[in-house]
Amino acid sequence: MNYVSTRGRAPRLGFEDTMLAGLARDGGLYVPETVPPMDRADIAALAGVSYEDAAVRVMRPFLGDSFTEGELADAVAAAYAGFNHPARAPLRQLAPGHFLLELFHGPTLAFKDFAMQLIGQLFQTALARSGQRITIVGATSGDTGSAAIEAFRGLPNVDVVILFPEGRVSEVQRRQMTTATDANVHAVALAGDFDAAQARVKDMFNDFAFRDAVGLTAVNSINWARVLAQVVYYFTSAVALGAPHRTVDFTVPTGNFGDIYAGSVARAMGLPIGRLVIATNHNDILHRTLQTAEHLATGVLPSISPSMDIQVSSNFERALFDALERDGAAVTALMDELKTQGGFALPQGAVTALRGLYASGRASEDETRATITRTLAETGELLCPHSAVGVHVAEGFLGPVPMVTLATAHPAKFPDAVAAATGVRPPLPAHMADLYQRPERVTHLPDDLATLQDFVRERRAA
Ligand SMILES: *Cc1c(COP(=O)(O)O)cnc(C)c1O
């Protein structure tokens, strides 16, 4: 099982090296050379098995000989043992034909835990074997950072540096990142927005001398192993609703396009997914791209769903690579245009391909708030603002095919927005009830590459 870069000029790697590298050396993202199919009988056989068993069966073919089946099973078991719900990813019915997939029962209360907890385990296995020392540097719009810190804190041979946009994450998100006491964890409040943080991380990766000196690794959603871990819950939820005998639609609150891209991988493996709907807040570049065939980054406007306040959507490059018939040179040209001119026009063939794979919609701030209010009144379910964006958009696509909307975070992660919409202030779960009392530890840094690199070098040497 080999992985190739979306830009076509990086070495082809096996699963373990793909996971440890994060970003390809040509600036591209790794994708599997071919997607291993799962036949109808194997999909049907997932009915009734535990989430952990399903995870091993779905992911195993992608790992090649990097990990044994026993190592994978152990990693999966350890990854999900700390979840607060025995089903891991339970489905709740909101209305006839409309279901909510609750992905927020992990330790940091967002769907990011599904992938991050697993790769924490896989990294540990791989690094223990090689004795290698690495530095994880990640940009976060709020949830990736806390999930990464929770998954990698205290691990030997790993330093974790997380850049978050100062003032643009919720207080719960910030405290989850700044209150870890482990010496290998470093939270940085960057003077800039998420796109700036993500751009500096990419700059660090493109500085090969620096990259090699500190053993730089990315665990952002550009890391293929994270996408893979997210493929699993598309299978478990679709099978619970009757797949492979029945088609299921999904709506996914989308920012960096990692979660929804995982859905497209599930479909490519053979899962009968009908519509795959991109749901955005007012930072709607992905919705506009499908509507207008122009991918134009405007500025980021803060919203009540901050984890989706993104205009440079990294994983969209993977969808583009497929839509451009895997032409790495064409992807490189468009990505250069995005960087230098802030956007590009999609070739007609690519637009047609993308419109065949994805539908899209957006929710305004008012629509998001109204959806939180109405859903609580009608169903008793308290939605976080991101999940509410999804529910609002999904409601425009309901029909004879069952629809699953992904609930990406716990409402208690965004208590102010939820309380404003409902009057109900969702309490934090018991394991983090003292979050507001824990001391914070954070470094404030400017949006400047050299300063950030010095910080990473010093922390690593410490
Ligand atoms: C990360 C995140 C998203 C966006 O997911 P992508 O994979 O970046 O598209 C949506 N909602 C929440 C709560 C998130 O943390």
Side-chain angles (χ1 to χ4, degrees), residues 110-112 143 253-259 307-308 386 408-409:
F111 80 89
K112 307 285 199 299
D143 295 324
T254 300
N256 233 341
F257 211 81
D259 210 6
S307 303
M308 292 153 61
H386 309 77
T408 50

Side-chain angles (χ1 to χ4, degrees), residues 80 83 103-120 139-148 150-151 173 194 219-221 226 229-230 233 253-259 306-308 310 386 407-409 413-414:
Y80 302 126
F83 277 49
L103 299 174
F104 50 69
H105 297 287
T108 71
L109 311 182
F111 80 89
K112 307 285 199 299
D113 289 323
F114 275 89
M116 209 66 88
Q117 284 292 319
L118 180 66
I119 73 170
T140 184
S141 56
D143 295 324
T144 297
S146 51
E150 189 59 33
Q173 288 178 316
F194 171 73
V219 298
N220 273 84
S221 59
R226 281 193 50 198
Q230 292 167 193
Y233 45 69
T254 300
N256 233 341
F257 211 81
D259 210 6
S307 303
M308 292 153 61
I310 290 174
H386 309 77
T408 50
K413 232 175 158 170
F414 305 92

Side-chain angles (χ1 to χ4, degrees), residues 363-444:
S364 69
E365 296 286 271
D366 282 345
E367 287 164 338
T368 305
R369 279 188 281 264
T371 303
I372 298 174
T373 311
R374 185 170 42 78
T375 303
L376 178 64
E378 289 175 357
T379 71
E381 179 89 13
L382 208 47
L383 296 174
C384 93
H386 309 77
S387 312
V389 167
V391 167
H392 173 81
V393 170
E395 284 171 346
F397 290 92
L398 296 181
V401 175
M403 171 66 81
V404 175
T405 297
L406 274 53
T408 50
H410 194 288
K413 232 175 158 170
F414 305 92
D416 296 338
V418 172
T422 62
V424 178
R425 203 169 178 83
L428 285 168
H431 75 273
M432 55 175 74
D434 66 339
L435 188 66
Y436 289 89
Q437 280 79 53
R438 296 181 201 163
E440 293 191 76
R441 194 165 52 101
V442 61
T443 307
H444 299 265

